[in-house]
Amino acid sequence: MAVGVVAGIVLASVVVVIGLFKLMWRVAEPNEALVISGSRHKTEGLGEGMGFRIVTGRGTLVLPGVQAVRKLSLDLNETQLSVDCVTHQGIPLRVKGVVIFKVGDDLVSIANAARRFLDQQKMMPERVHIVFAGHLRSIVGGLTVEDMIRDREKLTGQTRMACGTEMEKLGLIVDSLQIHEIEDPTGYIKNLAMPHAAAVQRDARIAQAEANRLATEAEQAASARMAQATRDSEILQAGYQAERDKAAATARQAGPLSEAAARQEVVVQETRVAELEAHRREQQLQADVRKPADAAAYETRTRAEAERDARISAAQAKAKETELAAAAEATRVTTAAAADAKATEARGLAAATATRATGEAEAAATQARGLAEAESAKAKGLAEAEGIKARAAALAENQEAVVAQQLAENWPAIVEAGAGAFGNVEHMVLLNGAEGMSEMFAKALTMGGTGLGVARQLLASMAPPHPAGSAAPPAPPAPPNGRIPVQDA
């Protein structure tokens, strides 16, 4: 039983101790500071004998009845500013803003705030308003309305700087200062804005007018494009109608056009046949007349040149021989004259003899060269005469072949000259259609044949009379329709 009593006493003692500890132990919240008075404490940064101590963010023991504990809030506070000010220009304004402040976190600020606001924490916004209102009036009095409008940061910075010292003495710090509004009861700011507003309104009207003009231009352009599209559509429809009409007309003319094309093809083929025939005759004349005549002329010319070269070589050899003989004679005379050096007359005679021999040698050489050139000219003339004589003989033997050759060589020019008669005709009326056109082309192509008949008659009339007893060759009959008869090779 005694043990139970002892255990009860011990338990009661523990409960009392715990109760006393809870009564004496105080903990500071994160947003508050405990100000404990009733004893002298040494606090770092605050000196000795302050009469109270400050606890933040931790717990501490407080002796009930000996020490007193009170709390100082570290929360944010705000105060609304509405201050009537007068600018440097004498214009009254009302500045509205807000100040957000709190007790500083350092022990000095907490101590300053505890001494001033521990029992009057609700009076902090009013006191702060008084401080800021006074400084704000002073600062606005040194500024113009334009400065305040254009640079509010300057006003805010100067106000915070001016209030900084006093707020520090109160143990307060300013977290934020904002100027919300500047009221102008006189309308000065409104009047300042009127020129800019008028300029903006002017620009707006100009922009609206420009937009209207652009819209009108766009509408006119759209109308023009619509008209252009209508025109293009009508043109296309007209073109399609023209193509349909052309197709119908082509279909109606298909028969006559086919017939005319067939006849035209016939004319073209006949023309080609005539051209091929003329070409064949030209080749035949080349083989029968021109090639033999050219061969004979070449042979004669080659023989004459060979004879001329031989005579020139002989003359040059003879001249060289004469020159060498003269040189030998001159050497002999000079040697004899040297042997008879005493006889001056003999030396003069030898010199005269040598000079005369040299002159005679040069004269003989010059005469030989002249004879060679004369022989060459004579051989060339004989060769040309032989060529002319051979051509004349060929002409006398086969006049038709020579004339036909000349006509074949000039056949394109003759046909072109014949067709030139139609070059200046702008309009031609053919009564018999395609047949008339074919006949006209045929006549133009056969004009050369008529020219051949005329040339043959002229040659027959210009032929020399034949010797007695020999019959003149009969004149060849004129070709019908002026065409040249073609003989098979």
Side-chain angles (χ1 to χ4, degrees), residues 36-41 53 60-69:
I36 303 171
S37 60
S39 62
R40 300 178 68 87
H41 295 276
R53 60 190 176 93
T60 185
L61 286 174
V62 178
L63 298 177
V66 179
Q67 296 176 338
V69 179

Side-chain angles (χ1 to χ4, degrees), residues 4-20:
V5 172
V6 172
I9 293 172
V10 172
L11 180 60
S13 300
V14 172
V15 171
V16 171
V17 171
I18 293 174
L20 289 175

Side-chain angles (χ1 to χ4, degrees), residues 43 47 51 64 70-71 103 124 135 153 160 207 313 367 372 392 426 448:
T43 305
R70 283 178 289 186
K71 297 179 180 180
V103 177
M124 283 184 184
H135 287 288
E153 291 294 330
R160 293 186 66 170
S313 299
Q367 183 179 4
E426 294 183 358

Side-chain angles (χ1 to χ4, degrees), residues 31-255:
N31 61 340
E32 65 183 7
L34 297 179
V35 180
I36 303 171
S37 60
S39 62
R40 300 178 68 87
H41 295 276
K42 181 180 179 180
T43 305
E44 184 179 357
L46 298 178
E48 297 182 0
M50 188 174 62
F52 64 89
R53 60 190 176 93
I54 299 170
V55 177
T56 58
R58 60 185 179 86
T60 185
L61 286 174
V62 178
L63 298 177
V66 179
Q67 296 176 338
V69 179
R70 283 178 289 186
K71 297 179 180 180
L72 181 64
S73 176
L74 302 180
D75 290 334
L76 286 176
N77 293 279
E78 69 175 41
T79 180
Q80 298 292 331
L81 297 178
S82 180
V83 184
D84 293 330
C85 307
V86 178
T87 65
H88 179 70
Q89 302 158 310
I91 299 172
L93 297 175
R94 176 170 292 174
V95 179
K96 291 185 177 182
V98 62
V99 179
I100 299 176
F101 64 94
K102 66 182 292 294
V103 177
D105 295 329
D106 60 290
L107 296 179
V108 175
S109 298
I110 294 173
N112 291 335
R115 290 190 180 100
R116 290 166 178 81
F117 302 110
L118 189 59
D119 293 332
Q120 300 178 0
Q121 296 186 37
K122 295 182 179 180
M123 299 296 292
M124 283 184 184
E126 183 179 351
R127 301 293 187 269
V128 172
H129 183 278
I130 293 171
V131 173
F132 273 87
H135 287 288
L136 193 58
R137 289 190 184 96
S138 175
I139 293 170
V140 170
L143 299 175
T144 63
V145 178
E146 288 82 356
D147 294 336
M148 296 174 62
I149 294 173
R150 294 169 184 166
D151 193 1
R152 289 192 181 185
E153 291 294 330
K154 180 180 180 182
L155 175 61
T156 303
Q158 291 183 359
T159 304
R160 293 186 66 170
M161 187 180 298
C163 298
T165 303
E166 296 184 9
M167 294 292 287
E168 184 179 355
K169 291 179 180 179
L170 295 175
L172 303 176
I173 59 174
V174 178
D175 279 357
S176 176
L177 171 61
Q178 298 293 330
I179 303 299
H180 291 166
E181 185 180 359
I182 299 176
E183 293 183 355
D184 178 20
T186 62
Y188 182 84
I189 297 176
K190 183 178 180 180
N191 292 332
L192 283 177
M194 288 182 66
H196 301 287
V200 172
Q201 186 178 6
R202 177 200 62 201
D203 295 340
R205 293 180 61 186
I206 292 173
Q208 184 63 39
E210 182 68 16
N212 293 336
R213 181 183 65 81
L214 293 176
T216 303
E217 290 180 355
E219 290 176 355
Q220 295 297 328
S223 300
R225 287 194 294 270
M226 290 174 61
Q228 182 179 1
T230 303
R231 181 201 63 186
D232 295 341
S233 177
E234 293 177 353
I235 291 173
L236 286 175
Q237 292 178 6
Y240 295 152
Q241 184 62 38
E243 290 179 1
R244 288 195 295 269
D245 295 342
K246 181 179 179 181
T250 303
R252 289 193 298 269
Q253 297 176 359

